[in-house]
């Protein structure tokens, strides 16, 4: 795919929301100075609850045109319906993005895709708020079906009910799965919305670069403390410069001999693990037969509890993460029970 900018990381930056012409221009000037080439700003911002700042709306399109003329940067806005798309196209916006709440809604995505039919424009598709890779891929496919050829995916984390370290939990395996299924779609990371707080932006950006993401979308405001939305997660252009210069890009494309050796070793270990798991399942079926002939029920919770506690404590002395080992043991136990159930219910001779 033709990239907007092949350098890595490719960075899009700008405020969460456009608030005034002055705020947009001063932020854009600051970002241009640090070498940013694509400027973002949200114009339509329906928030979780009505009544707070809901964006400046279409008037911001004229401010963005001024940003483009005065800085030469490309402009990028969020669209959530046909009318946003039409007015953005008319105003000469270069890149559109579909927000996380919109990409969770196939009605809205289809409406946007229909409006964009035949347009030569770049569209960024943020992951849906819920952790559903098929829904994310579906949104991308709706745009591809409308003939949009420059599509980027943006990972901005997933909404959860529990309050944790992140505003939106990253679930890295989901963008990784998207990349596996759509390798031609470049992937950006939006650490601002994952973090919800500026002190985590560098760490999340670094992780995304280590995972081979192509770029970053980072919220930047000339004066974050006065921002009308998402003020805790925005950084000034100078702070952004510091973040970007701290990121280490690992882009050596060769495969050193040691890496090949280590990979061979991992493959061999995986083969041994598979053989051991097959043996474990064989024994589980034997246990099933024994329980059947002695009329013993399959589940004995005390035995299982004992097994998990004992193994988790051995895992700890081997410096293995206890939660990780618990997840593996639970998955294996679940499968063993399933195997025993097939034995107990089979008509196989005792
Ligand atoms: C945004 O980028 O300001 C935004 C609203 O993002 P998201 O759709 O990821 O919440
Ligand atoms: Mn925001």
């Amino acid at each position: 795919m033709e990239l907007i900018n092949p350098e890595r990381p490719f960075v899009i930056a700008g405020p969460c929301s456009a608030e005034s012409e002055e705020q947009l221009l001063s932020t854009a000037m600051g970002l241009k100075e640090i070498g940013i080439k694509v400027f973002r700003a949200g114009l339509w911002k329906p928030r979780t609850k009505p009544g707070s700042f809901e964006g400046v709306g279409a008037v911001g399109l004229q401010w963005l045109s001024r940003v483009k003329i005065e800085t030469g940067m490309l402009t990028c806005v969020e669209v959530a319906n046909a009318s946003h798309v039409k007015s953005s196209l008319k105003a000469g916006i270069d890149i559109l993005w579909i927000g996380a709440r919109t990409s969770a809604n196939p009605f809205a995505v289809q409406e946007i895709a229909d409006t964009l039919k035949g347009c030569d424009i770049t569209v960024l598709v943020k992951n849906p708020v819920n952790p559903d890779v098929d829904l994310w891929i579906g949104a991308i496919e709706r745009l591809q079906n409308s003939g949009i050829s420059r599509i980027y995916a943006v990972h901005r984390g997933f909404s959860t009910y529990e309050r944790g370290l992140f505003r939106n939990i990253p679930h890295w395996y989901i963008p990784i799965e998207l990349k596996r299924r759509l390798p031609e779609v470049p992937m950006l990371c939006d650490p601002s919305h994952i973090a919800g707080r500026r002190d985590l932006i560098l760490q999340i950006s670094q992780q995304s670069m280590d995972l081979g993401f192509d770029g970053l979308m980072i919220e930047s405001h000339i004066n974050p403390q006065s921002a009308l939305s998402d003020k805790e997660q925005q950084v000034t252009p100078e702070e952004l410069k510091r973040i970007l210069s701290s990121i280490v890009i690992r882009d050596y494309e060769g495969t050193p001999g040691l890496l090949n050796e280590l990979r061979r070793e991992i493959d061999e270990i995986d083969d041994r693990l598979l053989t051991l798991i097959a043996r474990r399942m064989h024994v589980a079926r034997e246990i099933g037969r024994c329980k059947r002939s002695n009329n013993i029920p399959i589940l004995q919770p005390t035995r299982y509890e004992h097994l998990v506690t004992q193994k988790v404590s051995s895992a700890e002395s081997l410096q293995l993460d206890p939660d990780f080992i618990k997840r593996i043991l639970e998955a294996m136990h679940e499968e063993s029970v399933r195997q025993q159930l097939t034995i107990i219910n089979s008509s196989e001779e005792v």
Side-chain angles (χ1 to χ4, degrees):
M1 204 198 72
E2 182 196 336
L3 293 169
I4 312 170
N5 185 343
E7 70 197 29
R8 189 162 166 268
F10 155 55
V11 182
I12 299 177
C16 175
S17 302
E19 296 161 7
S20 68
E21 187 165 24
E22 156 55 23
Q23 167 247 6
L24 276 200
L25 279 167
S26 53
T27 308
M29 295 293 189
L31 291 171
K32 184 192 160 75
E33 237 162 73
I34 66 159
I36 304 297
K37 301 189 178 84
V38 184
F39 183 74
R40 62 150 276 157
L43 305 182
W44 298 280
K45 309 287 298 185
R47 313 297 294 284
T48 303
K49 288 182 174 171
S52 54
F53 173 68
E54 300 242 318
V56 295
V59 67
L61 290 167
Q62 297 154 31
W63 307 342
L64 281 167
S65 301
R66 248 194 97 187
V67 164
K68 189 175 160 88
I69 293 165
E70 298 201 8
T71 66
M73 293 164 106
L74 297 179
T75 51
C76 178
V77 296
E78 175 178 355
V79 291
N81 59 37
S83 127
H84 298 160
V85 172
K86 285 182 197 151
S87 45
S88 303
L89 292 175
K90 207 159 133 209
I93 298 293
D94 303 284
I95 301 168
L96 306 178
W97 93 78
I98 299 184
R101 286 157 199 81
T102 309
S103 58
N105 176 358
F107 286 118
V109 177
Q110 191 57 52
E111 176 180 314
I112 293 169
D114 290 342
T115 317
L116 284 173
K117 208 163 226 141
C119 288
D120 179 24
I121 192 150
T122 302
V123 185
L124 319 180
V125 184
K126 288 203 171 191
N127 63 260
V129 275
N130 48 324
D132 182 340
V133 74
D134 288 309
L135 197 55
W136 195 2
I137 292 178
I140 292 173
E141 285 174 352
R142 284 175 200 280
L143 293 160
Q144 285 172 335
N145 292 345
S146 270
I148 306 298
S149 57
R150 289 187 309 279
I151 301 175
Y152 284 62
V154 183
H155 171 225
R156 48 78 78 200
F158 301 88
S159 185
T160 52
Y161 191 62
E162 304 95 66
R163 287 281 128 234
L165 178 61
F166 301 107
R167 177 179 176 195
N168 291 291
I169 188 164
H171 288 319
W172 293 98
Y173 62 92
I174 294 185
I176 291 170
E177 175 61 9
L178 186 129
K179 195 75 198 152
R180 191 184 69 76
R181 286 166 57 183
L182 300 179
E184 74 286 2
V185 174
M187 176 74 70
L188 309 182
C189 178
D190 170 348
S192 313
H193 286 89
I194 292 178
R197 40 188 264 201
R198 53 191 144 263
D199 62 328
L200 294 177
I201 291 178
L202 171 59
Q203 173 195 326
I204 298 166
S205 303
Q206 182 65 58
Q207 190 161 353
S208 72
M209 288 301 115
D210 291 343
L211 287 169
F213 280 43
D214 301 281
L216 300 163
M217 182 192 253
I218 300 183
E219 287 189 337
S220 175
H221 191 291
I222 197 69
N223 180 9
Q225 277 323 325
S226 72
L228 298 180
S229 60
D230 288 354
K231 71 182 197 193
E232 299 305 328
Q233 68 190 39
Q234 303 205 59
V235 289
T236 62
E238 294 92 282
E239 283 164 334
L240 180 59
K241 182 176 177 199
R242 270 199 297 280
I243 290 173
L244 294 176
S245 60
S246 308
I247 295 175
V248 181
I249 297 295
R250 302 174 224 274
D251 56 3
Y252 174 63
E253 297 213 339
T255 316
L258 174 63
L259 184 58
N260 277 331
E261 246 172 70
L262 293 171
R263 283 182 173 156
R264 259 196 302 279
E265 197 176 332
I266 283 274
D267 284 349
E268 205 183 295
I269 293 171
D270 285 347
D271 285 341
R272 276 161 50 200
L273 279 175
L274 286 183
T275 314
L276 281 173
I277 293 171
R279 216 169 101 202
R280 192 188 196 281
M281 292 307 151
H282 175 78
V283 174
R285 285 191 295 275
E286 284 302 313
I287 291 178
R289 287 189 188 94
C290 176
K291 286 181 182 165
R292 182 177 62 172
S293 48
N294 292 289
N295 244 354
I296 300 174
I298 287 184
L299 274 184
Q300 275 121 19
T302 47
R303 148 93 188 136
Y304 178 57
E305 258 325 294
H306 174 69
L307 183 144
V308 172
T309 323
Q310 200 190 40
K311 299 298 170 209
V312 166
S313 106
S314 328
E316 272 176 312
S317 50
L318 290 168
Q319 259 131 54
L320 288 164
D321 178 60
D323 287 335
F324 164 65
I325 294 304
K326 206 159 166 233
R327 285 202 305 276
I328 294 189
L329 288 172
E330 275 164 5
M332 245 166 0
H333 181 254
E334 205 180 300
E335 178 58 13
S336 293
V337 168
R338 199 183 67 82
Q339 297 275 340
Q340 292 184 33
L341 275 173
T342 60
I343 294 289
I344 253 183
N345 295 316
S346 79
S347 51
E348 165 192 306
E349 285 303 309
V350 182

